[in-house]
Amino acid sequence: MQGLFITFEGGEGAGKSTQIQYLAETLRASGHDVVLTREPGGSPGAEAVRHVLLSGAAEEFGVRMEAILFAAARSDHVEELIRPAVAAGKTVLCDRFMDSSRVYQGVTGNLEPDFVNTLERVAINGMVPDLTIILDLPAEVGLARARARAASDAPDRYEKEALAIHEKRREAFLEIAAREPQRCKVVDGNQPADAIAMAIQRLVRELDEKQRSDNHNARVVPS
Ligand code: TYD
C-alpha cells in the first residue's frame, strides 16, 4: 500500500518545525512508519545545494538561478528520498515543498509563471503532495518569532526581507489554498500550539481514512 506524502508550508516563524515534529511523534505512536524531511535539502545532493541558497551565495546571480537551484535540489530529494519512501508505504512529512517555490521565487521573486510552472513540473515529476498544511499567521507575528528565535544567529537570506514582502507571501499561500482546496488546508497558526496540533491531526486522520477507503474500494470493485 502506498504511503502518504504531507507537506507543511507557511511564512517565517509560523511554527512549522514544532508542528511537524509533533505530528511525526503522534503518527509514530499510532504505528506509522514516518520519514521527516525538509527543503531545501532532505537528500545528500539537495543538502549540498541548501547551503548555497540559504547563505545568500547564489543571490547575486539572480532569482532565476536561485529558482533553478531550488528545483535541482527538489528533484534530487523527490527521486532519492520521497518517492521511494512513499512507494514503500511510509508517511513522508516534508517541511516546505513546491508551494514555497511558487511563493518565494514566483510571487515575491517576480518570476514568470510559465518558468516557475515548468520548473515545478520537472522537479516534482508527478509527486504532488496528498495534503499540504498551510500554517497561517500575520507576517509581523511570524517575523517577530523568527527574529526572537534567531537572536543569537544571523538571519538567513529570506528572513532579512521587509515586512511587506512577508505579507505578500502570506497572501500568496492563501491564494494557493483557495485554488487547490482539495490538497491545501489552512490552519490558524496564531493559536496555542496544542490547538494547532489537534487541527493538524484531524486533517491527517481524514486523509488517512479516505486513503484506506479508496484502497478498500479499489479492492472490492470487480476487475
Ligand atoms: P529554513 O531555514 O529551512 O527555515 P524555515 O522553513 O523555518 O523558514 O529556510 C528555508 C528558506 O528557504 C525559507 O526562508 C524559504 C526559502 N525557500 C524558498 O525560497 N524556496 C523554496 O522552494 C524553499 C523550499 C524554501
Side-chain angles (χ1 to χ4, degrees):
M1 193 165 113
Q2 283 261 352
L4 296 173
F5 177 32
I6 302 173
T7 59
F8 280 64
E9 299 278 5
E12 312 299 319
K16 285 185 283 76
S17 314
T18 309
Q19 290 297 334
I20 205 167
Q21 283 279 358
Y22 196 69
L23 179 63
E25 282 162 28
T26 314
L27 288 174
R28 281 182 185 131
S30 66
H32 283 76
D33 192 349
V34 176
V35 174
L36 186 53
T37 187
R38 60 137 183 224
E39 288 206 348
S43 60
E47 288 290 331
V49 179
R50 176 180 173 92
H51 176 70
V52 175
L53 284 161
L54 296 191
S55 66
E59 193 175 355
E60 64 175 302
F61 306 116
V63 71
R64 286 171 78 88
M65 172 77 138
E66 289 181 307
I68 293 169
L69 289 171
F70 275 111
R74 179 160 305 127
S75 169
D76 191 73
H77 188 207
V78 164
E79 304 308 343
E80 296 300 318
L81 184 102
I82 300 172
R83 194 189 310 279
V86 172
K90 297 180 183 172
T91 299
V92 175
L93 306 181
C94 186
D95 192 343
R96 295 196 184 279
F97 192 62
M98 63 188 198
D99 301 297
S100 283
S101 282
R102 290 188 192 178
V103 169
Y104 284 73
Q105 283 66 55
V107 176
T108 54
N110 289 314
L111 280 182
E112 319 84 88
D114 269 2
F115 184 78
V116 174
N117 293 341
T118 302
L119 283 179
E120 177 179 299
R121 202 175 58 248
V122 171
I124 72 169
N125 193 15
M127 201 72 220
V128 178
D130 297 301
L131 171 67
T132 296
I133 290 163
I134 295 178
L135 274 181
D136 176 59
L137 85 172
E140 64 270 21
V141 178
L143 262 188
R145 282 193 201 163
R147 282 180 185 148
R149 186 182 59 197
S152 50
D153 257 347
D156 75 25
R157 151 92 175 84
Y158 297 97
E159 284 168 356
K160 276 190 292 197
E161 291 169 327
L163 187 62
I165 293 185
H166 290 274
E167 279 295 352
K168 210 168 161 190
R169 288 185 185 138
R170 180 190 190 193
E171 291 309 315
F173 278 121
L174 293 176
E175 272 170 34
I176 292 174
R179 268 202 314 277
E180 295 180 52
Q182 286 286 9
R183 172 175 71 88
C184 300
K185 306 291 176 194
V186 179
V187 172
D188 178 4
N190 208 4
Q191 51 176 341
D194 37 343
I196 301 176
M198 299 270 276
I200 292 173
Q201 281 170 39
R202 187 163 359 96
L203 291 168
V204 173
R205 215 169 26 245
E206 282 166 13
L207 173 67
D208 201 27
E209 280 161 13
K210 183 179 170 299
Q211 202 209 31
R212 280 169 203 275
S213 93
D214 288 353
N215 279 326
H216 176 74
N217 291 340
R219 279 200 304 275
V220 295
V221 170
S223 53

